[in-house]
Amino acid sequence: MKRKKIKAVISVFLAILMLTTLAGCKKESKESANEGTNTEEVLGYPITKEPITLKYWIPIHALATQFIRSYAENEVYQEMEKITGIKIEFIHPANGQEDEQFNLMIASGDIPDLITGAARYKGGISMGVEDQVYLDLTPYAQKYAPDYYKLLNSNPEIKREATFDDGKIFAFYRIKPKVDVPFRRLVTRKDWLDEAGVTEPKTLAEWETYLKLLKDKNKGDAPFILTTNGMEGIIMGAYNILPGFYLKDGKNVTFGQIQPEFKEYLTLMNKWFTSGLISKDFPSLKEPQAITQFSSGKTGVLAASVDQTFNNAKANNYQLVTTPFPRLKLGDKLHWNNSEWFVGGDETVINNDTKYKKEAVRWLNYAYSEEGAMLFNFGLKDSSYVMENGKPKYTDKILKNPKIPAPVTNYLFRMHFAPKLTFSDLECVPGVLANGQESINNRLKWSDDKDVDNTYVIPPIRFTVDESSTRARLMTEVDTYVNEMVLKFIIGAEPLSKFDEYVNNVKKLGIDEAAKITQKAYERYMK
Amino acid sequence: MQLQKMERLQTRALSVQCIKRDFIRNKYVYLMALPIIAYYIIFHYIPMGGVVIAFQNYTPKKGFIHSDWVGLKHFVSFLTSYQAVRVIRNTLTINIYEILFGFPAPILLALLLNEITSMKYKRVIQTVSYLPHFISLVVICGIITDFSITNGLFNDIIVFLGGERSNLLMRKELFRTIFVSSGIWQGVGWGSIIYLSTLSGIDPNLYEAAAIDGAGRFRQLLHITLPALIPTITVLLIMRLGHIMSQGFEKIILLYNPLTYETADVISSYVYRRGLQESDYSFGAAVGLFNSIINVTVLIMSNYLSRRITKESLW
């Protein structure tokens, strides 16, 4: 209580101090800005001389809600209020009801100044702009969001992902110019590998041998927990197909689950399942449960986050082994990669009718400026992190906080998910840095594989209203049928001789039309 | 002819007078009912107008008035979909199972509790049986999943009884059993409250008289307790039948997986999956309206039958 009061007093004092210094030196230029002579507008901080309040609709992360009720209590936004002079009134939808509450908000017509997660708009962001609910940022970006604008133009691929037709700017995205190396791999334990007397498997045949050895030695309940829906991209990747739509030969949109290679994949999985190499319970085990089983030694192999399993292994005193993406034979070229795109989510738009358009744009731009990015990615200087040899280093407040678990600090002391310039995981994610250089090396292992590219992965394309509604109708039917049949094939409830019949049925459900729609959207995107 | 008309006019005048007098005499009762009537009009009747979106391609921006009309497109799209027959069948079967096995369970429990003479013991049993009602569905389903896996508690019991281990939630023939029986376990205590309150209203003199006439406990149950419960049972049963096409998606999606779709996928879970890919209000409204029409039809029919057969009915 007392501390809060002191904090309040200090912040009021600081605010007054800033206002007076401003009033002293920038009075003239401020006035000219009000008159609208843009040439002399000063774009420094704070953004406004009179404090204004912006309403900000943003989903709050479920982990954060264990400790705070609103991002107003997040240190990053508190600091930002001091710097920009803009007060933010946060509106958080209840966890799990984001979609409903977003739609209610739009339907009510009472739309806040800023909205994160704006792609929920029916027909997407461009439709929101067309309906004049969202502001077209194109005329504002260059002048009022210079840092964001510069970032978009720093790389044509970033620009393609973050802008709409003709390079129009509609939203601020979470952008990571230095894309991370893959985080999900097949992992196993060093001691079990040693016991089996093999090195880390690199081909599917080697995996089979290893799983059999584990089975023979009765290690755990089952050697391997396959992903819940039976379609493991990492293993399917060895056949150069992907679950769902992918770009065959880097240009043709194709549905993975009806390819002849998929039959080979199913045959292998069916063989593994019937010979007891795959857990009998895999369809009812969600990923967190599977990770728990792996950490507690009930299974030996898993496809999962290498960071999370590494930290778990540390805590349970065994050594984790990550493996390269499996292949049919050594040296095969793989055309998929589960790394990310430059542009992430958290797309944020501005209300078309807000009084404070320029201020809102400038406020959002701050997270892309040098000091803003430091604040969002690392938190408060000398509190959450210190500079060591010119590099930021987390303090124990983040890494070893006795009261707040490390994953939660992401939403209390830094802003992990927000429209911002994001640093790579290896630079700034506490979960990756928890065990220092060792965990960084763990993540980096195998990432220098020269024979892996992602030419088969479809970029973040966008659909029109009609396209997405037709596609949703078709794909609900297709997915329901495919998910059902895939599991049946794997556990042997349906014989693989029925694969051709299955492919025919998927075609009858309209997969070709859905592929055509996706192809069209892809070609539009690449233009 | 003339006389008849006069009579009719007279009765109408009389009934108007009656209502007027009733109003004056019970004005406070009417006053008290006013907020509830207003609540129903504002929150239940006016929003019914929103059902028009079932016939539109509704978007929030355009609103009810300006959205494009598409007629029965969404109904056709649902009924002609590949899975329509299966999800309708599953919704009906699960509901019929629930009515067949789930509906009598609280009645039985109430009757059993009624026979317990030790008040303390009765209270403890009641409290324990209410408890599951207050546990979140997510937790309940987590427990069910954990118990059902190959090395789970249920399988330990099955093996003890000489069966073989398997993941119970992966067997489509068991889904309804697990779903309905866990529902009974969770709701039986809570559901018995209304019957117990009816039972407590029975005049003890009736039992005394019956005992003097030589009726044993079972006879008393058959001729006093059960008849006293019949009105409550009838009303609740008719109302339950009015939900024959409804089945919430929450518990279904927490328990099913593609292997059990064949018996587990119901209308609401299908709409939910479809809604996941796009917020299609109109489609959801169309399916909801379709369900409601069937629900109301069944409700009216069962009410009519009940009035004919047992002389008990909702109206």
Side-chain angles (χ1 to χ4, degrees):
Chain A
M1 198 56 213
K2 207 173 173 186
R3 208 193 267 168
K4 249 190 191 166
K5 235 181 204 168
I6 293 172
K7 250 191 193 167
V9 170
I10 291 177
S11 55
V12 167
F13 178 73
L14 279 175
I16 292 172
L17 198 76
M18 275 196 284
L19 279 178
T20 45
T21 45
L22 236 184
C25 62
K26 285 177 184 166
K27 204 168 184 179
E28 226 167 288
S29 47
K30 275 270 154 181
E31 263 164 16
S32 62
N34 286 345
E35 284 158 18
T37 47
N38 285 344
T39 40
E40 284 175 53
E41 224 171 332
V42 168
L43 298 173
Y45 295 100
I47 293 170
T48 53
K49 62 176 171 181
E50 312 247 319
I52 59 169
T53 302
L54 295 179
K55 286 189 183 168
Y56 187 5
W57 191 95
I58 178 174
I60 187 166
H61 198 278
L63 284 174
T65 53
Q66 297 172 3
F67 290 87
I68 57 176
R69 262 178 309 177
S70 152
Y71 277 149
E73 294 170 64
N74 176 298
E75 290 189 352
V76 172
Y77 287 121
Q78 287 175 343
E79 179 70 11
M80 233 184 127
E81 185 183 331
K82 285 181 215 160
I83 295 168
T84 60
I86 292 178
K87 189 173 166 49
I88 298 293
E89 188 186 320
F90 286 96
I91 304 167
H92 298 304
N95 284 136
Q97 291 173 25
E98 290 84 358
D99 291 351
E100 290 93 326
Q101 295 193 9
F102 176 86
N103 290 321
L104 268 177
M105 170 190 77
I106 296 291
S108 75
D110 182 15
I111 296 164
D113 302 301
L114 300 156
I115 303 167
T116 289
R120 288 183 175 88
Y121 197 90
K122 194 169 178 174
I125 291 179
S126 53
M127 201 62 192
V129 174
E130 204 172 299
D131 287 347
Q132 298 194 333
V133 176
Y134 298 165
L135 179 68
D136 180 358
L137 302 173
T138 323
Y140 297 88
Q142 190 169 5
K143 183 156 180 60
Y144 298 102
D147 298 301
Y148 185 60
Y149 190 78
K150 211 169 81 194
L151 182 60
L152 289 187
N153 287 300
S154 65
N155 181 334
E157 278 312 310
I158 294 183
K159 189 160 188 184
R160 195 202 294 277
E161 286 173 35
T163 60
F164 290 76
D165 304 340
D166 312 324
K168 280 200 159 32
I169 299 169
F170 293 157
F172 286 82
Y173 290 87
R174 173 162 42 84
I175 295 180
K176 193 190 274 186
K178 218 161 106 190
V179 166
D180 277 303
V181 300
F183 72 97
R184 204 167 166 276
R185 289 180 178 280
L186 286 167
V187 294
T188 186
R189 309 166 55 128
K190 181 89 172 66
D191 47 351
W192 289 21
L193 264 181
D194 290 345
E195 228 173 295
V198 293
T199 53
E200 68 273 321
K202 293 190 172 86
T203 64
L204 290 179
E206 283 173 22
W207 273 111
E208 192 171 307
T209 320
Y210 174 52
L211 292 174
K212 272 188 187 144
L213 286 168
L214 288 184
K215 166 97 183 148
D216 294 342
K217 290 190 184 298
N218 266 327
K219 301 298 284 181
D221 292 343
F224 175 41
I225 298 180
L226 185 61
T227 189
T228 312
N229 64 10
M231 292 173 260
E232 178 50 67
I234 294 177
I235 301 177
M236 280 171 73
Y239 297 93
N240 267 323
I241 50 171
L242 285 172
F245 288 112
Y246 70 100
L247 286 172
K248 193 170 189 173
D249 307 322
K251 54 182 193 288
N252 299 319
V253 171
T254 314
F255 189 63
Q257 288 94 311
I258 52 170
Q259 300 310 305
E261 292 91 342
F262 189 63
K263 189 180 179 183
E264 291 172 40
Y265 167 82
L266 287 177
T267 314
L268 184 73
M269 287 304 111
N270 173 257
K271 185 173 151 204
W272 285 8
F273 184 85
T274 44
S275 46
L277 304 183
I278 293 176
S279 162
K280 294 262 178 271
D281 295 317
F282 82 90
S284 65
L285 291 174
K286 306 259 160 14
E287 185 160 309
Q289 291 166 303
I291 289 179
T292 313
Q293 299 235 337
F294 179 74
S295 305
S296 59
K298 284 187 177 154
T299 192
V301 178
L302 202 62
S305 151
V306 292
D307 306 314
Q308 196 183 351
T309 45
F310 181 81
N311 293 339
N312 285 348
K314 274 270 166 199
N316 288 302
N317 292 317
Y318 62 83
Q319 210 182 328
L320 185 86
V321 176
T322 65
T323 65
F325 295 135
R327 290 157 157 91
L328 290 181
K329 55 179 197 303
L330 280 178
D332 276 357
K333 283 201 188 314
L334 300 180
H335 302 297
W336 71 283
N337 197 337
N338 59 14
S339 61
E340 302 152 306
W341 300 94
F342 294 112
V343 173
D346 296 313
E347 63 289 350
T348 303
V349 299
I350 295 170
N351 179 358
N352 193 38
D353 299 326
T354 178
K355 263 195 291 182
Y356 304 111
K357 296 189 173 79
K358 291 175 196 168
E359 287 84 351
V361 173
R362 290 175 62 194
W363 187 85
L364 284 171
N365 177 64
Y366 182 69
Y368 300 86
S369 68
E370 218 168 288
E371 60 276 38
M374 285 302 282
L375 175 64
F376 270 77
N377 286 298
F378 289 105
L380 296 179
K381 196 179 173 195
D382 297 327
S383 166
S384 296
Y385 73 97
V386 289
M387 290 303 277
E388 246 183 43
N389 310 325
K391 271 185 161 180
K393 188 166 178 275
Y394 282 123
T395 60
D396 284 351
K397 176 180 161 193
I398 299 267
L399 295 179
K400 291 190 186 102
N401 198 312
K403 285 195 200 115
I404 298 161
V408 182
T409 59
N410 278 332
Y411 312 100
L412 262 56
F413 305 135
R414 53 192 295 270
M415 265 315 280
H416 192 60
F417 291 120
K420 61 168 184 178
L421 165 65
T422 303
F423 299 150
S424 76
D425 290 2
L426 294 172
E427 288 170 299
C428 76
V429 173
V432 180
L433 301 171
N435 287 296
Q437 193 59 40
E438 219 183 325
S439 45
I440 295 180
N441 292 344
N442 174 64
R443 171 74 174 264
L444 282 175
K445 199 159 187 202
W446 310 113
S447 66
D448 54 354
D449 198 333
K450 286 282 175 290
D451 290 330
V452 180
D453 58 47
N454 63 353
T455 46
Y456 274 32
V457 186
I458 298 180
I461 53 178
R462 303 186 183 94
F463 299 100
T464 66
V465 181
D466 285 340
E467 281 174 351
S468 88
S469 113
T470 313
R471 197 170 174 272
R473 177 171 56 80
L474 296 170
M475 289 315 288
T476 311
E477 308 281 352
V478 169
D479 285 338
T480 306
Y481 179 68
V482 166
N483 289 348
E484 196 173 337
M485 289 306 286
V486 166
L487 284 184
K488 282 182 174 168
F489 282 135
I490 293 177
I491 71 165
E494 290 279 357
L496 276 153
S497 52
K498 281 201 175 167
F499 187 80
D500 293 339
E501 193 188 320
Y502 151 84
V503 172
N504 277 336
N505 284 338
V506 176
K507 285 196 172 143
K508 262 188 235 154
L509 291 174
I511 193 66
D512 293 337
E513 196 187 338
K516 218 181 281 168
I517 291 173
T518 317
Q519 179 82 36
K520 230 165 78 188
Y522 170 70
E523 278 161 15
R524 215 169 39 224
Y525 175 86
M526 291 307 289
K527 229 177 15 196
Chain B
M1 207 48 196
Q2 198 77 15
L3 208 72
Q4 260 182 353
K5 213 175 182 181
M6 280 251 292
E7 231 167 57
R8 221 182 295 150
L9 275 174
Q10 238 172 355
T11 42
R12 194 182 293 164
L14 210 71
S15 63
V16 169
Q17 224 174 4
C18 262
I19 292 171
K20 225 184 232 168
R21 208 180 319 138
D22 193 57
F23 251 121
I24 292 163
R25 194 182 294 160
N26 299 320
K27 56 176 176 277
Y28 294 112
V29 178
Y30 279 106
L31 202 67
M32 271 162 64
L34 203 65
I36 298 175
I37 294 168
Y39 164 81
Y40 270 95
I41 290 175
I42 295 170
F43 291 107
H44 291 258
Y45 278 81
I46 295 177
M48 278 187 205
V51 91
V52 293
I53 71 169
F55 307 96
Q56 297 176 329
N57 260 343
Y58 174 76
T59 56
K61 182 67 187 174
K62 288 183 180 167
F64 298 119
I65 300 162
H66 302 291
S67 288
D68 311 323
W69 291 90
V70 293
L72 293 175
K73 180 185 147 196
H74 299 296
F75 294 88
V76 174
S77 154
F78 170 60
L79 290 172
T80 56
S81 76
Y82 180 70
Q83 274 104 5
V85 175
R86 186 168 80 177
V87 295
I88 294 173
R89 188 194 64 211
N90 284 338
T91 312
L92 280 172
T93 20
I94 290 183
N95 269 304
I96 289 169
Y97 278 26
E98 279 187 340
I99 292 169
L100 231 50
F101 301 104
F103 187 78
I107 304 175
L108 282 175
L109 182 72
L111 290 176
L112 290 173
L113 282 172
N114 197 43
E115 297 300 316
I116 294 173
T117 40
S118 153
M119 276 317 266
K120 228 183 200 170
Y121 185 55
K122 188 173 163 183
R123 291 250 167 81
V124 171
I125 299 251
Q126 263 183 287
T127 315
V128 170
S129 68
Y130 296 163
L131 273 181
H133 173 80
F134 296 102
I135 306 175
S136 141
L137 204 55
V138 180
V139 177
I140 299 263
C141 293
I143 296 173
I144 297 171
T145 313
D146 273 352
F147 283 2
S148 304
I149 59 170
T150 317
N151 293 320
L153 179 74
F154 292 153
N155 271 300
D156 293 342
I157 297 171
I158 290 171
V159 168
F160 179 76
L161 297 174
E164 267 193 49
R165 279 188 192 279
S166 64
N167 188 318
L168 306 178
L169 283 176
M170 279 164 58
R171 290 170 57 184
K172 59 174 191 266
E173 67 275 16
L174 289 180
F175 183 84
R176 294 184 193 123
T177 315
I178 295 173
F179 186 87
V180 173
S181 53
S182 61
I184 294 175
W185 168 74
Q186 195 184 2
V188 69
W190 189 253
S192 68
I193 293 179
I194 191 159
Y195 298 109
L196 282 169
S197 73
T198 314
L199 290 178
S200 66
I202 301 176
D203 188 350
N205 286 335
L206 288 173
Y207 289 108
E208 231 168 84
I212 290 167
D213 287 345
R217 286 184 89 164
F218 188 67
R219 284 268 152 200
Q220 289 179 16
L221 180 106
L222 217 58
H223 294 290
I224 300 171
T225 320
L226 262 185
L229 279 181
I230 291 288
T232 317
I233 294 176
T234 320
V235 168
L236 287 181
L237 184 63
I238 295 171
M239 295 209 315
R240 181 65 187 83
L241 284 169
H243 288 288
I244 194 131
M245 283 293 276
S246 323
Q247 185 61 252
F249 66 90
E250 298 92 342
K251 193 172 168 189
I252 297 275
I253 62 165
L254 285 168
L255 287 180
Y256 78 178
N257 61 56
L259 284 174
T260 50
Y261 276 174
E262 207 165 316
T263 53
D265 200 12
V266 296
I267 298 174
S268 58
S269 55
Y270 171 75
V271 173
Y272 172 82
R273 280 205 310 280
R274 182 147 166 182
L276 260 188
Q277 306 198 22
E278 191 184 357
S279 48
D280 198 340
Y281 307 104
S282 292
F283 182 75
V287 176
L289 184 62
F290 171 77
N291 286 349
S292 300
I293 290 170
I294 294 182
N295 278 338
V296 170
T297 318
V298 172
L299 183 75
I300 291 171
M301 266 164 36
S302 54
N303 191 57
Y304 172 79
L305 281 177
S306 165
R307 195 168 55 212
R308 271 306 186 69
I309 298 165
T310 66
K311 306 274 186 289
E312 296 283 349
S313 64
L314 285 177
W315 64 86

